[in-house]
Amino acid sequence: MGLSGSRPITEQPSRYDSLERMSVGELLRCISAEDALVAEAVAKALPQVEALVEAIEPRLKRGGRLFYVGAGTSGRLGVLDASELPPTFGVPADMVIGVIAGGDTALRSAVEKAEDFEEKGWQDLLTLGPTRDDTVLGISASGTTPYVLGAVRQARQQGLLTGCITSNPDTPLAAACDFPIETIVGPEFVTGSSRMKSGTAQKMVLNMISTSLMIRLGRVEGNRMVKMQLTNAKLVDRGIRMIQDSLGLSYDEAQKRLLEAGSVDKAIERLRKQKK
C-alpha cells in the first residue's frame, strides 16, 4: 500500500524538522517549496483523470449524477466543488452532490468517529436514490478511510461507475474502484497533515474533473460561463461584459438585453437571431 516500513506515504515524517524554531519567512518558503511538488504529482496523474472524465461524461448526458464521497478535509473539498457548479454553470443542484461523513455538521466541525464505519457511506448514498447511471468518486488521502471505502465498494457492486482520488499508491480504495486517481505528493510539511499537499492535489483534480465535464456538457461557450446564474451584482456585471465582447454592444444596451433574457446565452441567442 505504498508503505515505507509499515507507514503510508501520507503518514511518513516531514522532510523538515524543528518547525517551531523556524522564522515566519523560513516556514513560508519551506511550505511553498513543498506546494510546488503538487502540480507535478497531479500532472503525472492526468491520464487517470482523463479516463475517469471520459467515463463519466456519457452518464451525465443520460441524466446520471456524480457523487463525491469523503470525510474531513476530503469531504469538505467535495462539497465545495459540488456547491460551486450550479451558480457557475447553471446546472441543477443535484447533478453533482457532495457527501461528507457526519453530514452538514462536519462542514464546520469535526464529527467524532464519523469516518470509521464502512457501512455508513453507502447508507448515506442510499438516501439519495443512486442508479446505475450515477458515478461515485471517493476522496481519501490515505486511501483507507472506511466511510469512503464502503461507499465505493457497495456502489461498484451495485453497478455504478466508481473512481477515487488518493495520495498513496496501491491502496484498498484504488483497488475497490474502476478508475483510481493517485496523486503522490509525498510526505506533508507537518507530518500527517493531509489538509496541506494532499488537499491541494484533491482540489486541483476536482477542478479538472468538474470543469472538463461542464465544458463537455455545453455549459461554456468559447471560454465564457454563458449559463452562470445571475445571483449578485458582480455576476450581472460579468454577464453584461460577456454580451458586450460577443456582440459589440454598449454597456447599457448589453445590460438591457441581459435583464430581458435572464441569462447570457439566451441574450446572445436572441440578438443573433434578430440580426439574421
Side-chain angles (χ1 to χ4, degrees), residues 151-205:
V152 169
R153 281 176 172 161
Q154 286 296 320
R156 194 178 189 185
Q157 288 181 14
Q158 297 300 319
L160 282 70
L161 183 73
T162 56
C164 74
I165 306 171
T166 181
S167 297
N168 287 301
D170 306 320
T171 63
L173 182 58
C177 71
D178 302 298
F179 292 93
I181 297 170
E182 298 172 323
T183 55
I184 313 304
V185 296
E188 297 288 356
F189 178 70
V190 175
T191 299
S193 182
S194 57
R195 58 177 285 273
M196 300 187 75
K197 289 193 297 181
S198 292
T200 301
Q202 290 169 354
K203 174 60 174 166
M204 290 174 68
V205 172

Side-chain angles (χ1 to χ4, degrees), residues 40-186:
E40 181 180 344
V42 170
K44 290 179 180 177
L46 286 180
Q48 296 175 330
V49 181
E50 180 181 4
L52 176 60
V53 170
E54 290 183 341
I56 296 173
E57 180 185 345
R59 288 166 170 79
L60 290 184
K61 287 181 175 177
R62 293 197 299 265
R65 296 165 296 171
L66 171 58
F67 297 108
Y68 298 142
V69 181
T73 297
S74 299
R76 294 182 190 103
L77 288 169
V79 172
L80 171 64
D81 191 75
S83 67
E84 289 177 338
L85 301 182
T88 304
F89 298 106
V91 296
D94 63 351
M95 177 181 283
V96 182
I97 300 173
V99 180
I100 181 171
D104 288 350
T105 299
L107 294 174
R108 292 184 178 273
S109 305
V111 177
E112 188 176 0
K113 297 184 179 180
E115 68 179 60
D116 292 340
F117 300 97
E118 189 166 319
E119 68 278 3
K120 191 67 170 67
W122 179 244
Q123 288 173 0
D124 286 350
L125 280 174
L126 282 177
T127 66
L128 299 168
T131 73
R132 290 197 172 195
D133 277 336
D134 294 336
T135 301
V136 173
L137 176 61
I139 313 169
S140 167
S142 68
T144 61
T145 307
Y147 180 89
V148 179
L149 190 55
V152 169
R153 281 176 172 161
Q154 286 296 320
R156 194 178 189 185
Q157 288 181 14
Q158 297 300 319
L160 282 70
L161 183 73
T162 56
C164 74
I165 306 171
T166 181
S167 297
N168 287 301
D170 306 320
T171 63
L173 182 58
C177 71
D178 302 298
F179 292 93
I181 297 170
E182 298 172 323
T183 55
I184 313 304
V185 296

Side-chain angles (χ1 to χ4, degrees), residues 225-244 247 249-271 274:
M225 301 176 289
V226 294
K227 295 184 180 291
M228 66 181 181
Q229 296 175 359
L230 305 175
T231 54
N232 58 46
K234 179 189 74 174
L235 296 180
V236 171
D237 179 70
R238 183 183 296 164
I240 292 168
R241 297 186 188 283
M242 287 184 191
I243 296 171
Q244 280 189 286
L247 300 171
L249 302 178
S250 69
Y251 187 92
D252 288 344
E253 181 65 18
Q255 181 181 42
K256 175 185 175 183
R257 299 291 186 173
L258 176 61
L259 296 179
E260 287 175 350
S263 68
V264 174
D265 59 329
K266 289 180 181 178
I268 292 173
E269 183 180 359
R270 288 182 187 179
L271 285 162
Q274 291 173 9

